[in-house]
Amino acid sequence: MVKIQVQAWDQVVDYDPASGKSLYACLVEAGLPVPGDCGGKGTCGKCRFKLLEGELAAEAYQGLAGKYPLACRARPQSDLRLAFLNMERDHRILVTGDRLALTGPKRWRQASFKLDRDLLQAGADLETRLVQELDVSSFPAQVWQGLEIERNQTYRAIICDDRVLALDLQAEDARIYGLAVDIGTTTLAASLINLETGEEVSQASALNPQIQQGADVLNRISYVMTEGGRGLKQLQQAIRRAIQSLIDELCQEADCPESAVYGLSLAGNTVMTHLALGIDPRPLGQSPYLPVFRSGQQLSAKAFGLRKIPSSAQVMTLPAVSAYIGSDVVAGAYAAGFSELGKRRLLIDIGTNGEMLVQDGDRYVSCSCAAGPALEGMMISSGMKAAAGAVEECLWQDGQFDLQVIGGGKPQGLCGSGVLALIREGLRAGLISYRGRIIDPESLAPDDARRPYLKVDDQGKRSLQVASQVSLTQHDIRQVQLAKGAIRSGVEVLLEASQLEAEQIDQVLVAGQFGRHLAEASLIKTGLLPEGFAGHLSYIGNSSHSGAYLYLMDQDAAQGLEALARRIDYIELSRLDDYDRVFARASLFPKLKRK
């Protein structure tokens, strides 16, 4: 065994050289947040590190490594001390979003009763009497387990809908709490909620640790295909640990005991939900792309694997439509009022997985596309999360790029909104053609203000260098074009299926973590969305979390979400005869006039 120590981490990891595993795989299995977008395949270059002590074989420096080795190619033979180059912190993760008000009966309540003479003599057994006393469907015997049954003792029942979940001794200030959780492909967002009042007490967020097995759902399905049951267990444990960490953080911030958490609602795409429940996702990645379930699921915290909250606490997943229109979309649509009939509108969640839904009166039609992680700053040469140092916006004016940096410091990379803004301004400045090609610097006059930004490497590959550490390569633009083509083609297909023109859509609701930070100009001027949507865009934030909140709290919302999910039709883009043509056209940028 050799010892691996990463600067800024206290933990020392043992590595067995005989295992043949990469350094990346070893650190990931130890539960450490290794930077990387490609799941250790050597295609993103984000796991580069500075070797402080020890030696490595030459293979660690191959591929995208440059002068710094890649953890996914390194197989240590001696003790190492190292520092990763892409350790990002202070990510901006959006937790909440717009949502409907609570209107229906609340799902949760407490009820107390005393085992006095009247109660004990009123029936043949306690269950029969307590069902009547508390107005519940049943009073299961297991809630008495671990409790001493004493006369004249006052007990408290925790009730969800009409089911008794738990029983304990009545205590003062015995509030009950729940969590609404959005399980995104890239991020997790949660809030702690007083289940009786609906008050959001605290908020927390984190990166989804499954990123280390792949930046998108297809890579994670592929990981399970390769690793089998071991891989599925690893992904499930990663999300379970992350949710437990969120519970710890939320309860600590609110000064709330974890024993008071009795409910969790989880919204996410269908793959994320399957993985969270430990259900094999491989059927979702193979034709005919069938999920194991679509309806909302309920299981105990004990069955889910959460140990610090009461074992009978309920973990609830929201309903989905199909393999690739998950409960996050249904949650967002319900929270945005899509259950109200008669309107023409589009809901679009722009992220690693692009999901969209068109409502035309009483008809709903949806589709999804594998947009990939480029629009979130991943698989981009200078890409990074939306953290301090990331370029989030830019403007071409007076012959130069004016960069807006998160935190106001020196530019260190491009987050998703910065990537799209740079392409938008590159198109406007004539540095990028409508086909996505970076222009040849030799085609410009020597004194052209654009020329210093154009770089050509030894292999003839072009890039835009906008800061000392920030560039946009031709490959980066192609990655964005793939994402743009996927999203725009999905919009075009839904409009055609609904027999609507873009101008006929009254409202375009942009949901999600990434969409919140996109300027309308970036979406329209790059052609990611049609020109006819201009002036009709609204940003509704993390609508998946909003729907999870409503599902957790409101009986009518829980039923309404299930009903809405059943009404939504789904179009599988890959099965359309002319989809390749639609996608190719959608991948092109608009021809903009140079300014």
Side-chain angles (χ1 to χ4, degrees), residues 67 69 160 186 218 387 465 493 521 549:
K67 65 178 181 179
C160 178
T186 305
L218 295 180
Q465 189 81 36
V493 167
Y549 169 90

Side-chain angles (χ1 to χ4, degrees), residues 464-543:
L464 291 179
Q465 189 81 36
V466 295
S468 60
Q469 298 184 52
V470 183
S471 63
L472 188 73
T473 69
Q474 189 65 69
H475 178 266
D476 295 337
I477 296 174
R478 292 294 181 234
Q479 293 297 111
V480 172
Q481 282 186 280
L482 291 174
K484 174 193 177 299
I487 292 169
R488 178 62 182 267
S489 62
V491 172
E492 299 288 351
V493 167
L494 290 187
L495 289 175
E496 183 177 352
S498 303
Q499 297 183 332
L500 295 172
E501 299 293 333
E503 291 77 10
Q504 293 178 283
I505 297 294
D506 301 318
Q507 196 175 24
V508 178
L509 303 176
V510 180
Q513 163 70 24
F514 175 60
R516 184 76 170 190
H517 302 290
L518 285 179
E520 180 175 315
S522 292
L523 292 169
I524 302 297
K525 297 303 181 183
T526 60
L528 198 144
L529 295 180
E531 184 74 33
F533 288 172
H536 297 284
L537 269 65
S538 298
Y539 298 89
I540 61 173
N542 191 334
S543 58

Side-chain angles (χ1 to χ4, degrees), residues 2-6 9 11-15 26-27 30 32:
V2 300
K3 304 293 184 182
I4 309 296
Q5 183 176 8
V6 181
W9 292 343
Q11 187 172 347
V12 176
V13 177
D14 289 328
Y15 174 82
C26 174
L27 296 177
L32 299 177

Side-chain angles (χ1 to χ4, degrees), residues 257-379:
E258 294 183 359
S259 60
V261 175
Y262 281 96
L264 288 86
S265 61
L266 310 179
N269 67 56
T270 310
V271 175
M272 291 299 100
T273 304
H274 277 57
L275 291 175
L277 296 180
I279 296 174
D280 190 346
R282 287 179 292 183
L284 300 170
Q286 301 168 326
S287 183
Y289 311 109
L290 291 179
V292 174
F293 62 90
R294 292 185 300 164
S295 60
Q297 303 294 307
Q298 291 195 27
L299 68 162
S300 69
K302 181 179 180 180
F304 186 76
L306 297 174
R307 303 302 180 198
K308 295 184 180 181
I309 66 176
S311 61
S312 61
Q314 291 295 287
V315 178
M316 304 179 286
T317 66
L318 278 64
V321 174
S322 68
Y324 292 103
I325 293 292
S327 61
D328 51 350
V329 180
V330 180
Y334 187 87
F338 270 55
S339 57
E340 179 185 350
L341 304 181
K343 296 189 176 182
R344 286 177 171 172
R345 49 191 171 183
L346 167 74
L347 173 69
I348 180 168
D349 190 336
I350 304 173
T352 306
N353 308 295
E355 296 113 348
M356 56 205 78
L357 167 66
V358 165
Q359 178 189 8
D360 180 17
D362 61 353
R363 187 191 176 199
Y364 302 88
V365 59
S366 66
C367 72
S368 65
C369 57
L375 293 178
E376 295 189 274
M378 303 166 76
M379 299 300 288

Side-chain angles (χ1 to χ4, degrees), residues 566-580:
R566 291 192 295 268
R567 293 178 65 101
I568 299 172
D569 293 327
Y570 175 69
I571 297 175
E572 177 57 54
L573 298 178
S574 63
R575 295 179 182 172
L576 299 178
D577 291 337
D578 61 345
Y579 180 66
D580 288 346

